[in-house]
Amino acid sequence: MNENEKLIQTIIEAIQEKKGRSIVHVDLKGIETAAAQGFVIATGNTPMQVETIADSVREYVEKHAGQRPFNYDGYQNAQWIIIDYGNIFVHVFVPDFRERYNLENLWADALINKIPDLD
């Protein structure tokens, strides 16, 4: 498992730990114009859960993969929080924002891996 794969797996575990749903890994490695090699996208039911999931990702990834994000944004209203790990971006949405921005569709030519919900 390479460093990006380990990071992605650690991010997914952190999201699942806080009951994040509809997790998707969008593999952008084959797309020249992409700003990153991949996205991990997840949904939280409320802004509070979105914030809790994002906090979990930041703490869990630092503890288990030794990486801190370069940047993060969206905590002001917690409708959509993005966490930047350089090659991998994490997007945590409330349901209506995820539907509105539809990142999976925007990158429809990417390889999309849906992660089953734990329950």
Side-chain angles (χ1 to χ4, degrees), residues 95-102:
D96 58 328
F97 269 59
R98 182 162 181 182
E99 201 173 300
R100 180 181 313 153
Y101 291 100
N102 199 357

Side-chain angles (χ1 to χ4, degrees), residues 44-108:
N45 292 322
T46 64
M48 182 179 278
Q49 187 185 21
V50 166
E51 192 171 319
T52 300
I53 292 167
D55 286 344
S56 175
V57 168
R58 291 173 41 221
E59 292 163 13
Y60 193 94
V61 168
E62 185 170 358
K63 181 178 179 181
H64 296 279
Q67 291 192 38
R68 298 177 76 180
F70 292 102
N71 206 349
Y72 49 87
D73 194 19
Y75 275 88
Q76 302 86 333
N77 57 20
Q79 306 284 313
W80 173 8
I81 294 178
I82 183 169
I83 307 169
D84 173 2
Y85 284 101
N87 287 329
I88 306 298
F89 287 63
V90 182
H91 300 269
V92 187
F93 289 97
V94 292
D96 58 328
F97 269 59
R98 182 162 181 182
E99 201 173 300
R100 180 181 313 153
Y101 291 100
N102 199 357
L103 293 183
E104 295 96 323
N105 221 21
L106 184 63
W107 295 98

